[in-house]
Amino acid sequence: GENVEQHPSTLSVQEGDSAVIKCTYSDSASNYFPWYKQELGKRPQLIIDIRSNVGEKKDQRIAVTLNKTAKHFSLHITETQPEDSAVYFCAASIPMVFGAGTILRVKS
Amino acid sequence: DVKVTQSSRYLVKRTGEKVFLECVQDMDHENMFWYRQDPGLGLRLIYFSYDVKMKEKGDIPEGYSVSREKKERFSLILESASTNQTSMYLCASSLSGLATYEQYFGPGTRLTVT
């Protein structure tokens, strides 16, 4: 079955800096790659997703890139703000297999 | 606005008890899922269902069973609770088909087994 690895497990950045979280997957048949954000004490919510026929997708300050050949995808957050502090999960495949999560702390 | 609700936010049970966790969604979603969330392990899929009375095992089904008698309701059952089942349990639902795979999560049930 699918296996998803996510790095780093924790990430601290200064407000205004960029943050990058990377995930690798094992099943070349996977074709859907979402990112979920979970704020402290709240439920995970989808922030962006990408399908395998697209290499990059942007939504304001967040973007996701996908390299199907290397089987990895990344979340990029630019101009980070304190409200970006949360746990971020990547996932792959249907039904979804999630990465272990990245705790992002944005220091003001 | 999609609403996914879970029967309890916090639950404390004793070892050996039978435990029922219920999830209800109000958006007529075909797919429903049960995950457990543990620090450093992410969200792990226990069971999922693509339709009423249908169920599929996820990655960690041992010690759990599920029931889906109605489209809007998906129950997770711990037949004989054990301490290693202490965890946060999250339910989710989604539409079927290729249009969208977005999963909508419930608020979670934090289960403690003593």
Side-chain angles (χ1 to χ4, degrees), chain A residues 22-25 33 65-74:
Chain A
K22 298 181 180 182
C23 288
T24 60
Y25 61 99
F33 307 92
T65 59
L66 171 65
N67 183 327
K68 284 180 60 181
T69 303
K71 289 190 279 189
H72 67 70
F73 56 111
S74 300

Side-chain angles (χ1 to χ4, degrees), chain B:
Chain B
D1 200 21
V2 178
K3 289 271 173 49
V4 181
T5 58
Q6 295 183 226
S7 49
S8 306
R9 291 301 303 272
Y10 300 94
L11 209 52
V12 180
K13 295 293 182 181
R14 293 197 179 277
T15 302
E17 280 193 83
K18 191 168 186 175
V19 181
F20 293 87
L21 303 181
E22 290 212 317
C23 175
V24 178
Q25 50 92 7
D26 68 355
M27 285 303 294
D28 204 33
H29 283 175
E30 291 82 8
N31 305 329
M32 296 190 76
F33 309 83
W34 274 106
Y35 296 91
R36 64 176 283 175
Q37 182 176 15
D38 300 288
L41 296 177
L43 287 79
R44 292 180 292 166
L45 183 62
I46 305 171
Y47 269 95
F48 60 102
S49 169
Y50 286 141
D51 201 351
V52 176
K53 296 196 184 294
M54 291 182 64
K55 61 183 179 183
E56 298 284 344
K57 292 180 179 179
D59 298 320
I60 51 166
E62 297 77 20
Y64 304 95
S65 62
V66 291
S67 172
R68 192 165 181 202
E69 296 296 318
K70 293 185 178 182
K71 189 175 185 180
E72 67 271 17
R73 190 180 298 269
F74 193 34
S75 301
L76 180 69
I77 303 152
L78 286 66
E79 297 289 344
S80 177
S82 64
T83 54
N84 62 12
Q85 292 178 309
T86 291
S87 186
M88 171 69 84
Y89 290 87
L90 289 165
C91 172
S93 70
S94 72
L95 288 167
S96 67
L98 300 176
T100 176
Y101 299 127
E102 178 177 1
Q103 291 190 5
Y104 296 85
F105 285 86
T109 296
R110 185 165 294 282
L111 172 67
T112 302
V113 182
T114 62

Side-chain angles (χ1 to χ4, degrees), chain A residues 20-42:
Chain A
V20 180
I21 302 170
K22 298 181 180 182
C23 288
T24 60
Y25 61 99
S26 60
D27 187 352
S28 56
S30 291
N31 60 9
Y32 177 66
F33 307 92
W35 287 89
Y36 282 79
K37 175 184 180 182
Q38 185 177 29
E39 297 177 8
L40 189 63
K42 296 190 176 180

